[in-house]
Amino acid sequence: MSDQLTAPRSRWFIEAADDELTIFERSREGRRAFTAPRLDVPERPLDELIPAELRRPEVARLPEVSEPEIVRHYTRLSKRNFDLDTGFYPLGSCTMKHNPKLHERIAGLPGNADLHPLQAVEDAQGALELMWRLQHSLGEIAGLPHVSLQPSAGSHGELTGVLITRAYHEANGDRRTKVLTPDTAHGTNPATVTMAGYELVKIGTDAHGNVDIDDLRRHVDTDVACLMLTNPSTLGLFERHIEEIAKVVHDVGATLYYDGANLNAIMGICRPGDMGFDIVHFNLHKSFTQPHGGGGPGAGPIAVAEHMEPFLPRPQVVRREDGSFDLDHDRPRSIGRMRGFQGNYGVFVRSYAYIRSLGAAGLREASEVAVLNANYLLARLRREGVLEYLPAAYDRICMHEFVLSGAVMKRELGIRTLDLAKRLLDHGVHPPTVYFPLIVDEALMVEPTETETRETLDHFAAVVAEILREAATDPEIARTAPHTAPVRRLDEAGAARHPVVRQPL
Amino acid sequence: MSRYTAVTDADLGEMLATIGVGSVDELFADVPAGLRVEGTLALDDGLSEQEVYGELAALAQRNLSTDEQITFLGAGMYDSYVPALVDSITARAEFLTPYTPYQPEVSQGGLQAMFEYQTAICELTGLPVANASVYEGPSAVAAAGYLAKLHNGRSRFLVSAGVHPHAVQSLATLAHGWGMTVEVVDLRDGVTSVEALRQAGLDEDVSAVIVGQPNFLGAVERLAPIVDVAHRSGALVVCAADPVSLGLLQAPGAQGVDVVVGEGQTLGNHLNFGGPSFGFFAVTEELIRRLPGRLVGQTRDAEGKRGYVLTLQTREQHIRREKATSNICTAQALNALAGVIYLSWLGRQGLVELAELLAQRTAYARERLVAIPGVTPVHQQPVVREFAIRIDGDMDAVLARCRAAGINPGYRYAEDCLLVAITEKRTRAQIDLLADTIAEALA
């Protein structure tokens, strides 16, 4: 293969000879970064404080390194990450939108960052008011009046929601055993169903990419506790028959659960509550700009309809009659706690700052542009001829994301979706989500978000077209990509066969 | 146009033309007319950056931070010092803004940091496998309960009353869905007793015995006898541990504990009114395939260079779906990164020095407080960083007096009891002030 083609276009990382070393391998006996505050109390023999048999005989082998070494080590490691501030990150279902810098500044204020969770409520009125306002805002966006901020991530919100469903049915003296999800669902949905103690039943997808209503009808009965749905679906398509679906589900007394992973398409345009959903979770790290942190933190608040309110987790943030804010623990029908304290407050600060920045009109505009950008990118890919090899899984107007199938590309050009993804890395673009949803062969799920410019979208379309042209002459380049990343393709099967999950010390 | 989008009028026209529609509204044609929001949502108008800062900074002003009060609050989260390098490194966009590392070739920084984090947690807990983080401490106990349920399919949890109440409650919330019971076993002189476990019916229906280390009242538990009796009935032992205390205490894994979990906040994370922080989760080799969440493994690239990937993903929801070991997806990667940077900063000797400093100051504080007439210890057990006292007198007067003196004396976990936590930020002078203030209030 030609060197010219595989040569780095832009090196976004800097390499050094010892980059492979771990912090443990940099350790040298006697080095240190920590100086303990001085012992200002009378020293007692340790044996008097904690008997020797309760103490560890050997010191934990943490690294012995100086402060400059730590700073350089982790700074260099950081340069081996691709990140959203550096480049386009159209990861489907993940909503990698810009993370405003303002939010970090506000979250870092001492009144937020250095506030103890058990601080007396009268000394945490600002925090509780912020939470109360966020609850109100999320409720308005969802079209459901009652919000709990407690769940820590989307999947945690799902579990909370399904347990609330269980509590609701039990309160009606109703023992149901099954929960339905479409075959396009995020993996968290079926995993949540099992974790909440229900049996999963899968519902098919029709020829237009919507829930197969006939299949749904075949499976609903009074054993069904809930249908979990994402709308727009993971195919990036709006469920046209959502009202009918809601009716079918409610007719058997089941609840309708909204997976909020794709909420970014519809904020201020339509509301899950109005569609008939009873429970909604939000991913504050998706639609509401909490930086993803390389895998968290996030937050997964839920909003519920009136008849579900008694079952929300404990405690709830409430406003008392005198206008003060409080934590209400006295909720006898609550499902209980889902975690410690009040939830990921630092995430709430960032998301509330975002809602306050955008306001009602701005949120609507964000969703409109998210959908505009996705459709524009799809049209640009079509114009570049990309769709001849990567046809849209369902040829419709999409919402905030769209799904392509790499099956033709694989057959005609001899490269797989994975190869295309890896070759994108050489172009300084993060690949879309790949191999999901499962029902699309060689799937590629693209979500540009509203915060990208048209130029960035044009560039992405051109890059994909170029990779396909390159593959037509030399598929090996994509098959062996990436060529310019800090490492070449990694042996994932080998890692799983012989797991090495800690550094041998 | 909002400040976070970039579609000019000229862009809009050309973009719509490229798509082949006349308006943005047409893109929403699939949304049934009756479902459209009429007008706008009932939310306030957006504000400029400066105005948002002003409004939210004013809210933050109404919170009393640990900068403004001498706090002895703990009970799971601690006013520990966060070194500057942790904030500085975790603020780097390369760590702050990527997604979960689904493309390992361009995520080696985050993956290697997770691998290092896992190694550090293994060292602290004395177990061979640690995942890349879970949400936080109490829900980690619930997650450990789910692991036990999947492992042995039994019907009961025996939970020591020394486990953090939020953890017991979180486990109970989930266990209800599994049709399992959570039975709380009382402490004897502040610690879990083997005899009490036996009396509670530690038999072959018990899926896991769960204890804290140190426990909620600050007492150091003797784990080995608990492990012995639990294993004899085939139950797993789960220990919720304080990671800094493990610098001094026997590693639970070395004493036969099967699952060690805990709250990681005290390792380089700010209090944040309770989150985000991180939970750690470590298990024996035997349980590796039941582990929830992300796990990073070492491997090689196509040229033989060492690298890291997410591994054993067949446990996880995105592959295994309804048969997954957990539904967890997004966890607390950035907070766990803060954790491993913090542990590197402490280092091998520093961890011991810090834990010893806490033990010395805590012993001093306990002695000073229980010497006050009207203050008695709730238990006599060894402690590391926290202890419980009973106030025989007017607790409200104690709290009021402390508040007036700019002190938060601790967590009132029962009507007449306080849990007093000592961190490296609490000096002798502050401890003396606490003791004098309580003495005055009770005089």
Side-chain angles (χ1 to χ4, degrees):
Chain A
M1 89 190 61
S2 130
D3 283 347
Q4 201 191 347
L5 281 171
T6 55
R9 281 147 209 278
S10 57
R11 286 183 92 79
W12 46 268
F13 68 101
I14 305 165
E15 241 176 334
D18 66 346
D19 265 354
E20 280 200 42
L21 294 183
T22 67
I23 193 76
F24 291 92
E25 289 164 342
R26 294 183 194 279
S27 178
R28 297 291 180 274
E29 194 179 336
R31 286 188 189 157
R32 58 187 305 141
F34 173 71
T35 311
R38 127 191 112 75
L39 183 64
D40 52 2
V41 299
E43 185 169 3
R44 307 230 330 241
L46 207 50
D47 285 347
E48 278 180 26
L49 305 182
I50 300 163
E53 73 269 17
L54 295 177
R55 301 206 310 271
R56 58 198 303 157
E58 284 172 4
V59 176
R61 291 164 295 179
L62 296 180
E64 296 182 82
V65 281
S66 66
E67 165 158 341
E69 285 180 284
I70 298 171
V71 171
R72 187 163 292 163
H73 175 74
Y74 287 105
T75 302
R76 296 199 73 90
L77 274 191
S78 79
K79 291 176 187 293
R80 293 159 74 82
N81 271 357
F82 184 87
D83 70 285
L84 177 60
D85 280 5
T86 300
F88 188 37
Y89 216 126
L91 201 58
S93 237
C94 300
T95 312
M96 296 298 281
K97 64 165 73 174
H98 174 63
N99 306 142
K101 299 300 167 190
L102 169 68
H103 303 177
E104 300 308 306
R105 179 180 286 178
I106 297 172
L109 292 171
N112 290 327
D114 300 321
L115 180 61
H116 195 283
L118 294 170
Q119 185 59 275
V121 290
E122 60 266 32
D123 292 329
Q125 284 295 299
L128 294 171
E129 179 168 350
L130 184 143
M131 291 169 71
W132 188 83
R133 289 199 210 169
L134 178 61
Q135 287 177 186
H136 173 81
S137 304
L138 293 175
E140 173 65 13
I141 292 164
L144 291 167
H146 303 287
V147 174
S148 165
L149 300 176
Q150 200 177 102
S152 304
S155 53
H156 208 215
E158 290 177 27
L159 187 56
T160 309
V162 177
L163 289 174
I164 285 173
T165 282
R166 174 184 283 281
Y168 165 74
H169 290 307
E170 284 175 358
N172 294 334
D174 205 353
R175 296 218 163 262
R176 297 179 178 230
T177 57
K178 294 185 283 193
V179 172
L180 313 180
T181 70
D183 54 8
T184 55
H186 296 112
T188 50
N189 293 178
T192 297
V193 170
T194 308
M195 223 176 154
Y198 284 107
E199 181 195 336
L200 176 80
V201 179
K202 270 186 275 191
I203 304 298
T205 299
D206 72 15
H208 306 289
N210 289 128
V211 168
D212 182 338
I213 298 218
D214 293 332
D215 198 39
L216 176 65
R217 283 214 177 82
R218 271 193 294 279
H219 287 100
V220 288
D221 56 36
T222 52
D223 274 346
V224 172
C226 178
L227 168 66
M228 300 179 82
L229 209 59
T230 310
N231 189 21
S233 70
T234 61
L235 295 164
L237 304 172
F238 194 87
E239 286 293 347
R240 289 170 179 152
H241 311 297
I242 185 61
E243 291 162 297
E244 195 178 346
I245 291 169
K247 187 173 181 322
V248 170
V249 169
H250 288 151
D251 279 351
V252 293
T255 65
L256 189 57
Y257 181 93
Y258 184 90
D259 177 330
N262 292 347
L263 188 75
N264 207 48
I266 61 160
M267 295 185 298
I269 291 160
C270 55
R271 310 193 299 174
D274 299 338
M275 297 175 205
F277 286 92
D278 305 289
I279 308 168
V280 168
H281 87 250
F282 305 84
N283 300 80
L284 296 188
H285 44 295
K286 293 181 179 174
S287 319
F288 298 95
T289 72
Q290 164 66 29
H292 216 285
I302 58 167
V304 300
E306 200 67 45
H307 55 290
M308 301 282 178
E309 192 278 338
F311 311 107
L312 283 174
R314 251 191 311 260
Q316 270 291 89
V317 177
V318 294
R319 185 160 73 171
R320 300 292 184 201
E321 276 176 14
D322 64 358
S324 69
F325 298 89
D326 200 358
L327 289 169
D328 181 13
H329 292 268
D330 184 18
R331 301 180 51 77
R333 300 171 75 194
S334 164
I335 59 166
R337 271 191 177 278
M338 290 300 292
R339 54 160 288 162
F341 307 113
Q342 288 83 238
N344 281 341
Y345 172 75
V347 178
F348 309 153
V349 172
R350 292 170 174 90
S351 294
Y352 184 66
Y354 178 68
I355 290 170
R356 209 61 200 89
S357 293
L358 264 59
L363 286 174
R364 183 185 175 107
E365 189 200 344
S367 286
E368 286 177 346
V369 177
V371 171
L372 175 71
N373 276 358
N375 279 287
Y376 175 73
L377 182 54
L378 183 59
R380 287 289 285 114
L381 288 166
R382 181 177 283 122
R383 190 197 282 175
E384 295 279 354
V386 167
L387 298 197
E388 287 163 36
Y389 295 98
L390 289 154
Y394 296 89
D395 198 9
R396 280 168 55 178
I397 294 280
C398 66
M399 297 300 283
H400 67 306
E401 66 187 1
F402 55 87
V403 179
L404 307 178
S405 166
V408 180
M409 172 180 75
K410 184 175 161 187
R411 197 172 59 235
E412 307 274 317
L413 299 177
I415 68 168
R416 302 166 56 211
T417 291
L418 183 72
D419 304 322
L420 172 62
K422 298 301 183 196
R423 189 59 177 144
L424 280 168
L425 299 175
D426 288 328
H427 290 265
V429 172
H430 196 283
T433 296
V434 293
Y435 298 99
F436 183 82
L438 306 177
I439 63 163
V440 176
D441 192 18
E442 294 284 320
L444 193 75
M445 182 196 237
V446 188
E447 181 182 5
T449 84
E450 73 278 12
T451 60
E452 297 298 335
T453 63
R454 185 180 158 205
E455 295 79 19
T456 300
L457 306 179
D458 289 342
H459 176 70
F460 178 79
V463 164
V464 175
E466 188 182 330
I467 292 172
L468 296 182
R469 277 195 299 275
E470 175 189 85
T473 53
D474 188 354
E476 204 52 28
I477 298 172
R479 281 185 205 140
T480 53
H483 301 278
T484 62
V487 291
R488 301 295 299 277
R489 222 176 273 202
L490 290 151
D491 181 6
E492 300 192 31
R497 232 178 357 259
H498 305 289
V500 178
V501 296
R502 70 178 193 285
Q503 175 111 57
L505 297 174
Chain B
M1 194 189 334
S2 89
R3 56 185 175 273
Y4 304 136
T5 52
V7 181
T8 64
D9 289 343
D11 286 330
L12 180 63
E14 289 175 39
M15 291 169 82
L16 291 172
T18 305
I19 297 166
V21 294
S23 70
V24 169
D25 260 4
E26 283 182 46
L27 300 175
F28 291 92
D30 282 343
V31 179
L35 294 183
R36 309 278 182 94
V37 171
E38 283 177 32
T40 55
L41 296 176
L43 297 174
D44 291 333
D45 289 340
L47 298 174
S48 69
E49 170 166 337
Q50 181 188 324
E51 289 166 313
V52 175
Y53 179 80
E55 189 177 303
L56 270 66
L59 280 177
Q61 283 284 342
R62 296 175 56 210
N63 303 323
L64 200 60
S65 80
T66 57
D67 282 0
E68 303 164 286
Q69 189 183 44
I70 301 165
T71 190
F72 293 88
L73 277 175
M77 287 205 171
Y78 301 91
D79 179 27
S80 311
Y81 181 73
V82 178
L85 89 175
V86 170
D87 285 343
S88 166
I89 295 168
T90 55
R92 293 185 65 85
E94 298 91 334
F95 285 130
L96 184 66
T97 68
Y99 202 74
T100 298
Y102 288 134
Q103 296 291 340
E105 295 85 355
V106 294
S107 312
Q108 285 300 296
L111 285 162
Q112 183 175 324
M114 287 180 191
F115 182 79
E116 295 172 357
Y117 160 84
Q118 290 172 186
T119 305
I121 296 299
C122 288
E123 273 301 300
L124 285 181
T125 57
L127 286 169
V129 184
N131 77 5
S133 74
V134 291
Y135 306 130
E136 46 85 70
S139 57
V141 170
Y146 192 57
L147 177 147
K149 168 200 149 48
L150 294 178
H151 182 67
N152 57 30
R154 296 178 176 192
S155 60
R156 302 165 59 209
F157 294 111
L158 284 191
V159 185
S160 160
V163 172
H164 196 292
H166 293 178
V168 182
Q169 292 161 25
S170 300
L171 175 66
T173 304
L174 269 59
H176 175 71
W178 312 328
M180 294 177 71
T181 59
V182 174
E183 297 157 54
V184 176
V185 182
D186 285 342
L187 300 176
R188 305 227 170 133
D189 190 24
V191 288
T192 312
S193 116
V194 166
E195 195 41 45
L197 285 172
R198 281 213 191 89
Q199 283 170 8
L202 178 45
D203 59 23
E204 284 169 13
D205 291 335
V206 174
S207 180
V209 171
I210 308 179
V211 296
Q213 180 68 319
N215 68 25
F216 184 67
L217 300 181
V220 178
E221 296 273 6
R222 284 172 165 74
L223 296 175
I226 297 167
V227 169
D228 185 53
V229 68
H231 281 179
R232 260 187 269 156
S233 76
L236 291 180
V237 178
V238 174
C239 174
D242 170 60
V244 169
S245 300
L246 292 184
L248 211 47
L249 301 179
Q250 283 270 16
Q255 301 193 290
V257 171
D258 303 283
V259 182
V260 182
V261 299
E263 171 57 57
Q265 176 270 327
T266 190
L267 304 178
N269 279 265
H270 291 271
L271 288 162
N272 296 322
F273 199 41
S277 60
F278 70 93
F280 57 90
F281 200 113
V283 299
T284 58
E285 280 301 347
E286 189 198 356
L287 296 172
I288 186 169
R289 283 172 202 279
R290 304 229 184 256
L291 194 68
R294 311 291 186 202
L295 180 65
V296 174
Q298 183 185 302
T299 189
R300 297 273 161 193
D301 78 355
E303 290 172 349
K305 202 166 161 187
R306 185 169 65 176
Y308 304 89
V309 293
L310 295 176
T311 197
L312 299 182
Q313 294 192 71
T314 50
R315 300 166 295 113
E316 289 188 66
Q317 46 79 24
H318 62 291
I319 307 285
R320 197 82 169 138
R321 300 179 74 84
E322 69 272 20
K323 295 191 179 68
T325 56
S326 167
N327 70 344
I328 193 168
C329 182
T330 286
Q332 308 287 136
L334 192 71
N335 306 96
L337 172 69
V340 70
I341 296 168
Y342 180 82
L343 287 170
S344 302
W345 177 74
L346 276 184
R348 187 173 184 166
Q349 294 308 323
L351 174 67
V352 177
E353 290 167 17
L354 174 64
E356 287 188 5
L357 176 72
L358 296 179
Q360 293 286 355
R361 283 188 180 164
T362 303
Y364 174 77
R366 193 189 203 185
E367 240 168 65
R368 286 272 349 238
L369 294 189
V370 301
I372 300 167
V375 177
T376 50
V378 170
H379 62 77
Q380 305 284 354
Q381 302 296 334
V383 297
V384 181
R385 70 180 318 169
E386 200 160 24
F387 58 95
I389 53 173
R390 180 166 285 113
I391 304 281
D392 301 316
D394 188 349
M395 176 72 96
D396 290 332
V398 169
L399 297 181
R401 188 108 190 179
C402 285
R403 191 178 156 84
I407 300 171
N408 192 321
Y411 179 52
R412 185 181 190 175
Y413 71 94
E415 199 54 31
D416 58 345
C417 293
L418 283 177
L419 194 56
V420 182
I422 304 296
T423 70
E424 65 278 18
K425 287 167 75 175
R426 294 293 79 80
T427 62
R428 176 180 181 166
Q430 293 175 339
I431 294 167
D432 288 341
L433 181 64
L434 171 71
D436 294 345
T437 309
I438 293 179
E440 285 163 22
L442 292 174

